[in-house]
Amino acid sequence: MAEKYNSSKAIMNITIIVAIVLVVVIWPLSMLGKGGARAVSSDEADGRIQPVARVEMQKAVVAVASGKPRDGATVYGAVCMACHASGVANAPKAGDKAAWAPRIAQGAATLLKNATNGKGAMPPRGGAADLSDAELKAAVEHLVGLAK
Ligand code: HEC
């Protein structure tokens, strides 16, 4: 579990770095191009950056195209973390035992039902309608596991 969590964190960090590179390098270069003073052609720069971006794209495509159900940590990182990491809209924070204890006490079936149908500010399936039942269940179990 811990290893998977770390690798999805690493992928997120890489994605953030790529995004920063795109903003910091590509954007000013394309501005230069428009201004006329073309120090480096933005096509050239695109060519140099593309391989990095392409690797990231391929990873994302492989994850989806492999058709394998994503595990709980992966679904959590992709969907649930948006609210449950920081407690957006009073979502019970991941790993917050006090917040989760009364919810866990409702029983696994109720938790899963509420995650499936939505509850209060929690949208059905966390807003990811494409999640399979197995993926959602794994994500709920992952969240519960973090609070134990
Ligand atoms: C848009 C924000 C948001 C996202 C995304 C989100 N949640 Fe929630 N979640 C909430 C909020 C808010 C609550 C508290 C709802 C309440 O008790 O009124 C909640 C509560 C829950 C509960 C407890 C339900 C109960 O019976 O008390 C579970 C389980 C849960 N979420 C699982 C998930 C899973 C799994 C995902 C990802 C697939 C996810 N959530 C994504 C906002 C979110």
Side-chain angles (χ1 to χ4, degrees):
M1 255 325 173
E3 263 170 38
K4 278 180 195 149
Y5 195 62
N6 284 339
S7 77
S8 73
K9 249 189 177 169
I11 290 171
M12 206 173 71
N13 287 339
I14 291 166
T15 308
I16 290 167
I17 290 165
V18 170
I20 291 169
V21 167
L22 289 176
V23 171
V24 172
V25 179
I26 298 280
W27 187 67
L29 283 173
S30 67
M31 290 293 113
L32 263 184
K34 285 193 190 110
R38 295 174 62 104
V40 184
S41 108
S42 64
D43 283 351
E44 241 175 70
D46 283 351
R48 265 182 273 140
I49 305 244
Q50 264 171 6
V52 180
R54 206 177 296 137
V55 169
E56 282 310 301
M57 295 275 290
Q58 276 168 355
K59 272 193 208 151
V61 169
V62 167
V64 173
S66 65
K68 282 191 200 131
R70 290 162 284 180
D71 67 19
T74 306
V75 174
Y76 170 74
V79 181
C80 324
M81 205 174 93
C83 295
H84 285 278
S86 56
V88 172
N90 286 326
K93 275 197 206 176
D96 182 339
K97 293 193 173 84
W100 278 98
R103 296 178 188 274
I104 291 170
Q106 302 175 106
T110 304
L111 279 182
L112 182 59
K113 183 172 74 81
N114 290 341
T116 307
N117 301 331
K119 181 186 178 190
M122 158 90 195
R125 293 179 189 268
D130 64 320
L131 283 185
S132 72
D133 291 345
E135 288 172 332
L136 184 66
K137 186 162 182 276
V140 171
E141 282 165 2
H142 179 73
L143 261 170
V144 167
L146 291 174
K148 272 188 174 162

